[in-house]
Amino acid sequence: MEARLYTIPGSHPGLGARLMLEHKAIPYKRTDLLPVISKGVLRGLRFESNTVPALKIDGRRVQGSRDIARELENRRPDPPLFPRDAERRAAVEEAERFGDAELQHPIRQILWWSLKRDASPLRSFSEGARLGVPVGLAVRTAAPIVALAARFNESTDANVKAALAALPALLDRADAYARDGVIDGDELNAADFQIAPSIALAMTLDDLRPHIESRPSGRLARRLVPDYPGRVPPVLPSGWLKPLGG
Ligand SMILES: N[C@@H](CCC(=O)N[C@@H](CS)C(=O)NCC(=O)O)C(=O)O
């Protein structure tokens, strides 16, 4: 099998795709793209859409973390990403949908808002990245990219305030999946690889980590992604953090 994954340094679904490839023991090459620039590159590579993760596997182009999970499952069923039992599979698929459609984006918005306020943590996210240009150069020229990424992701004050207000309920839901054994079991599944990277990304923010790390979902994130690159010193207004209890 010949596989190349296109991602962005620090991308949580991008990391999820990497973990799924590794779970399946599928060897792959990786190209890290700069945010925003990634959109044009992916179009140039004839992907249908302009987001990462994007996977080219044996000439086939697959995009989106959930579609990638299914493509990998079809190509190499073992070890599985989805339980064989129909009821358990439905529970995993619902948790996976939640991770993709509800959990991912608010965390993305909070991160871009924080980087727009202070871009210096960007370098920490690019550790080990395969960007094709020196990381230092990429980081030094990143200010307009960060501004555009924040704009594309609608990381406005109002949206980020709302994202922070919504976060406790989202974390409660992820915790419930862990307590119910849908995720964080002995055998990892597609929902684990969807949810854990989002929680791990949230924990790169010093403002958020203390509110997450002792939760079941925080422990899952540490289990799957003990060394998520990136660290953002406190930057969020304290009033916005009140819904989290601090
Ligand atoms: N829900 C999609 C999310 C795709 C997505 O929005 N990816 C972001 C990175 S996390 C992206 O490609 N952004 C483009 C950019 O930043 O320019 C998935 O799981 O694949």
Side-chain angles (χ1 to χ4, degrees):
M1 241 181 270
E2 202 164 302
R4 181 172 286 275
L5 180 71
Y6 297 89
T7 184
I8 288 175
S11 162
H12 37 338
L15 181 65
R18 284 172 58 188
L19 293 174
M20 290 192 287
L21 283 157
E22 282 152 28
H23 177 73
K24 295 280 188 192
I26 297 176
Y28 68 100
K29 297 202 169 79
R30 190 178 101 217
T31 299
D32 289 312
L33 304 169
L34 286 171
V36 181
I37 312 285
S38 57
K39 295 182 190 295
V41 175
L42 292 171
R43 292 290 195 198
L45 291 165
R46 291 184 290 117
F47 279 96
E48 263 181 25
S49 162
N50 61 8
T51 57
V52 303
L55 178 70
K56 196 168 169 199
I57 186 158
D58 287 345
R60 193 173 141 77
R61 292 169 176 76
V62 195
Q63 237 168 331
S65 49
R66 277 191 279 172
D67 283 353
I68 289 173
R70 281 151 190 79
E71 180 74 20
L72 299 182
E73 189 78 344
N74 288 339
R75 283 177 184 267
R76 184 164 292 177
D78 279 310
L81 281 168
F82 296 95
R84 306 275 190 251
D85 172 76
E87 205 173 309
R88 289 214 55 224
R89 178 171 180 136
V92 165
E93 288 194 309
E94 171 49 26
E96 184 200 26
R97 186 211 58 78
F98 158 78
D100 183 359
E102 297 186 47
L103 181 65
Q104 251 187 39
H105 197 56
I107 292 171
R108 184 182 287 117
Q109 288 182 309
I110 295 167
L111 181 74
W112 280 119
W113 189 95
S114 304
L115 292 174
K116 195 174 69 171
R117 198 38 92 83
D118 174 13
S120 55
L122 210 55
R123 175 183 279 275
S124 65
F125 286 92
S126 305
E127 230 167 72
R130 295 162 196 182
L131 283 164
V133 289
V135 167
L137 176 69
V139 169
R140 278 197 303 279
T141 52
I145 287 179
V146 172
L148 276 172
R151 171 121 60 90
F152 286 143
N153 287 298
E154 300 181 318
S155 296
T156 59
D157 288 4
N159 287 346
V160 170
K161 213 173 152 186
L164 288 164
L167 199 54
L170 294 170
L171 293 169
D172 287 347
R173 182 120 169 239
D175 289 348
Y177 287 129
R179 279 201 203 93
D180 294 346
V182 178
I183 54 174
D184 204 19
D186 293 339
E187 282 170 22
L188 296 172
N189 61 53
D192 287 294
F193 296 122
Q194 179 63 246
I195 291 173
S198 285
I199 304 281
L201 178 59
M203 283 169 44
T204 64
L205 281 96
D206 287 356
D207 281 321
L208 301 184
R209 193 180 325 102
H211 305 288
I212 304 177
E213 59 192 349
S214 59
R215 285 171 169 262
S217 55
R219 288 196 292 273
L220 169 72
R222 284 248 187 274
R223 172 183 168 197
L224 263 70
V225 203
D227 46 8
Y228 200 113
R231 175 130 194 214
V232 183
V235 63
L236 293 160
S238 56
W240 296 9
L241 292 168
K242 287 231 164 73
L244 287 146

